Amino acid sequence: MTIIAPLKTKLDKTSDISFCLDKSLYLLTQSRSDRFRNCAVPTKLSLVIDSMASSMLSLGSTSLLPREINKDKLKLGTSGSNPFLKAKCFSRVTMSVAVKPSRFEGITMAPPDPILGVSEAFKADTNELKLNLGVGAYRTEELQPYVLNVVKKAENLMLERGDNKEYLPIEGLAAFNKATAELLFGAGHPVIKEQKVATIQGLSGTGSLRLAAALIERYFPGAKVLISAPTWGNHKNIFNDAKVPWSEYRYYDPKTIGLDFEGMIADIKEAPEGSFILLHGCAHNPTGIDPTPEQWVKIADVIQEKNHIPFFDVAYQGFASGSLDEDAASVRLFAERGMEFFVAQSYSKNLGLYAERIGAINVVCSSADAATRVKSQLKRIARPMYSNPPVHGARIVANVVGDAAMFNEWKAEMEMMAGRIKTVRQQLYDSLVSKDKSGKDWSFILKQIGMFSFTGLNKAQSDNMTDKWHVYMTKDGRISLAGLSMAKCEYLADAIIDSYHNALLYWETPIEL
Ligand code: KET
């Protein structure tokens, strides 16, 4: 269908040319002296000027810019075979404009992603002082991306073996699924031995969460997911897109810059029986504040009492403490109680496989039979979404975990990465304390764990970090310490101190993504 906008114009010194496009009306101002040879129209429009009419007009070339909406000026016309409509004549001139709009006129511009959009803005900045602390991605001391040596070894092995590129089964690579469940629960754990875990390979942590969300939507209609306030911003998108209702439980207390444990417990207790409770297995994003082992026990108690279903997001196993086992303690506590629950896993951070999109969804069931059925339905959900997952990352994980020497090498590299983050954390704290004479207590930075520091900077202060200091971070006040080097700690401390004390203060506490 071609949409035609009949043009009615009366030429004065400045003529108003109004036309209508798919319910949008634009008022165009055209100077008489300009020549009207071609029309550079905003990308939204494709505008064809009737050549006869345009020569009659003998107006100059110009850009037609939408000025304002003027509903009364003109009505929309649509055409069948003839792309030009006969427009009515007012005084001296008749002309027609055929407008071929995009079918996507109704699609508005999406805002940049609050996390991945920061990397795009960083790339566009030409200042040499710039620092990207937005996305949670590990960098070397030289601020370069890091490919683990053990990953390179595993890839070489794959080349030597001449591994093929055949489709994987819908559930993914069997050796990966075995390795990933064992890494989570511990090899030989009863839930694995008794085949009570339904594991399928997912498109990293995000894709695995999305599969579980689809399963919830299909088999637990109306059930609510409770997520922490705040949480990783994409959790809300995932549940929204899967049409799973969610609400928040209290988690972060800005007054203590710590866990609001009482609030958390009260909100979990209050949730309707049988709700899903989303928990960060370790290294809570964005706060870097985890419950203590004793608090985990109480959380498990209240979840069990209320018959809720825990849903773990484990994106940082090994990154919180440097130990894979220690960081899986929360998940294992729930497994030992014989509870049924979900665990989404990601190898983006701990193996640095960000772009390989490798992870898994595990559903711990109370029987092997239930696990078989759940797995069959997860496969059924995956098949029309992406058919089957990519093999490369799965082989890397299976090779690394399946070979004792490579497994040990991985653990050593992970300790190195976690250790470097701890060192810059300490250095940032030292720099802040030595430079800031206001007496502010910066010790919260040392108490937080994992890749991030939740600085408490509000939006205006975060904007100042970026606009004035070229430090890129998310607007909720989170900085990724994995993107910081020792050499940049002083500069960052200067930026934080200036932003904290001098940036216009909003009334708000840190915003959520
Ligand atoms: N869960 C959490 C808590 C998380 O922080 C991330 C990624 C993911 C899951 C998913 O990662 P994946 O690469 O799909 O396995 N977080 C970082 C990157 C991102 O936002 O996508 C981040 O917070 O910077």
Side-chain angles (χ1 to χ4, degrees):
M1 181 187 77
T2 306
I3 297 178
I4 303 294
L7 248 160
K8 300 172 185 176
T9 179
K10 193 170 182 180
L11 294 173
D12 306 319
K13 270 202 172 141
T14 303
S15 65
D16 289 338
I17 303 172
S18 302
F19 67 94
C20 163
L21 168 66
D22 192 15
K23 293 182 199 152
S24 301
L25 285 148
Y26 295 94
L27 177 69
L28 306 172
T29 299
Q30 170 61 51
S31 160
R32 191 179 188 175
S33 58
D34 289 331
R35 295 207 53 83
F36 199 39
R37 263 183 249 117
N38 56 51
C39 302
V41 186
T43 50
K44 279 180 174 183
L45 306 179
S46 167
L47 189 66
V48 181
I49 304 292
D50 177 347
S51 58
M52 256 180 56
S54 66
S55 61
M56 280 168 68
L57 276 167
S58 74
L59 286 169
S61 81
T62 186
S63 291
L64 295 181
L65 296 173
R67 290 269 310 277
E68 67 180 62
I69 290 170
N70 186 341
K71 288 201 170 145
D72 299 321
K73 291 268 170 179
L74 196 65
K75 291 210 170 66
L76 176 73
T78 56
S79 88
S81 55
N82 182 358
F84 296 98
L85 280 189
K86 272 195 183 155
K88 280 184 184 161
C89 183
F90 282 78
S91 72
R92 298 181 294 141
V93 177
T94 299
M95 67 176 283
S96 300
V97 177
V99 179
K100 198 172 179 202
S102 165
R103 303 291 175 87
F104 309 115
E105 279 308 311
I107 297 180
T108 55
M109 192 65 192
D113 183 79
I115 298 176
L116 299 184
V118 173
S119 298
E120 288 168 32
F122 171 79
K123 274 187 204 142
D125 188 337
T126 52
N127 191 296
E128 57 187 25
L129 291 170
K130 69 179 181 174
L131 192 55
N132 188 3
L133 307 182
V135 69
Y138 183 81
R139 299 279 180 268
T140 63
E141 181 58 29
E142 293 71 42
L143 298 182
Q144 294 306 308
Y146 179 61
V147 180
L148 276 73
N149 289 325
V150 75
V151 166
K152 289 181 192 159
K153 273 192 190 165
E155 286 178 322
N156 284 335
L157 200 68
M158 283 150 63
L159 276 179
E160 277 165 27
R161 283 184 190 154
D163 287 338
N164 66 43
K165 305 286 185 191
E166 287 283 294
Y167 285 132
L168 282 182
I170 303 169
E171 71 262 41
L173 189 72
F176 165 79
N177 287 345
K178 180 175 180 297
T180 199
E182 288 182 356
L183 207 68
L184 191 60
F185 300 104
H189 192 284
V191 290
I192 293 180
K193 273 207 229 143
E194 293 159 22
Q195 299 183 323
K196 289 178 176 170
V197 192
T199 301
I200 88 160
Q201 188 185 326
L203 303 182
S204 211
T206 307
S208 305
L209 287 160
R210 185 65 179 77
L211 282 179
L215 191 82
I216 292 172
E217 192 269 336
R218 198 166 284 187
Y219 290 99
F220 300 84
K224 204 156 78 163
V225 176
L226 262 76
I227 57 181
S228 63
T231 191
W232 176 51
N234 214 19
H235 281 147
K236 294 175 185 173
N237 299 332
I238 289 167
F239 294 114
N240 283 342
D241 276 11
K243 304 202 167 20
V244 173
W246 56 267
S247 64
E248 292 179 317
Y249 61 81
R250 279 168 280 174
Y251 192 84
Y252 174 72
D253 183 352
K255 281 184 237 90
T256 60
I257 317 187
L259 179 64
D260 179 359
F261 185 63
E262 305 304 316
M264 177 181 184
I265 293 292
D267 291 346
I268 293 175
K269 259 191 193 158
E270 217 166 88
E273 192 147 329
S275 295
F276 289 83
I277 313 293
L278 191 87
L279 302 158
H280 296 224
C282 64
H284 184 272
N285 178 7
T287 65
I289 300 159
D290 282 357
T292 63
E294 297 72 38
Q295 287 172 332
W296 273 119
V297 171
K298 289 195 179 127
I299 294 166
D301 286 344
V302 57
I303 287 179
Q304 233 170 348
E305 260 166 47
K306 289 293 310 253
N307 229 359
H308 293 323
I309 304 175
F311 183 168
F312 280 95
D313 180 357
V314 177
Y316 299 93
Q317 191 179 354
F319 247 100
S321 65
S323 151
L324 285 164
D325 288 322
E326 234 175 271
D327 287 356
S330 57
V331 169
R332 291 178 190 178
L333 168 75
F334 284 69
E336 263 125 51
R337 290 184 172 215
M339 294 166 78
E340 296 192 298
F341 60 101
F342 289 68
V343 191
Q345 287 173 283
S346 164
Y347 290 91
S348 290
K349 325 283 171 154
N350 55 13
L351 255 177
L353 295 177
Y354 309 93
E356 296 298 350
R357 313 310 296 144
I358 178 65
I361 182 72
N362 303 266
V363 188
V364 182
C365 305
S366 57
S367 70
D369 178 53
T372 309
R373 283 181 279 110
V374 167
K375 187 168 175 172
S376 73
Q377 292 297 343
L378 285 170
K379 287 165 64 177
R380 193 182 185 189
I381 290 168
R383 172 68 168 145
M385 269 196 200
Y386 56 85
S387 190
N388 50 76
V391 73
H392 193 79
R395 280 203 186 115
I396 295 172
V397 177
N399 285 345
V400 170
V401 179
D403 177 282
M406 281 204 275
F407 189 45
N408 285 333
E409 202 176 329
W410 176 33
K411 288 200 261 188
E413 282 192 274
M414 203 151 44
E415 267 172 46
M416 180 277 290
M417 292 191 286
R420 200 188 80 72
I421 295 170
K422 280 184 191 154
T423 313
V424 290
R425 191 183 279 286
Q426 182 69 50
Q427 182 60 45
L428 174 63
Y429 169 77
D430 291 346
S431 303
L432 284 166
V433 170
S434 72
K435 284 167 178 282
D436 182 26
K437 306 296 175 209
S438 73
K440 178 177 166 56
D441 181 8
W442 296 99
S443 63
F444 67 88
I445 290 179
L446 294 181
K447 290 183 198 135
Q448 296 168 343
I449 58 166
M451 272 193 163
F452 303 108
S453 178
F454 202 48
T455 61
L457 295 177
N458 63 30
K459 185 174 179 301
Q461 293 164 332
S462 303
D463 283 344
N464 188 66
M465 294 281 286
T466 307
D467 300 344
K468 180 170 170 188
W469 294 86
H470 305 271
V471 175
Y472 288 79
M473 58 188 287
T474 54
K475 298 299 175 205
D476 59 353
R478 184 190 87 170
I479 54 176
S480 168
L481 296 179
L484 179 64
S485 62
M486 290 292 274
K488 286 279 191 179
C489 282
E490 293 235 334
Y491 179 77
L492 180 61
D494 286 334
I496 292 176
I497 292 165
D498 173 60
S499 304
Y500 179 76
H501 293 295
N502 302 328
L504 175 76
L505 281 172
Y506 273 59
W507 62 90
E508 60 190 355
T509 46
I511 62 152
E512 275 186 48
L513 297 180

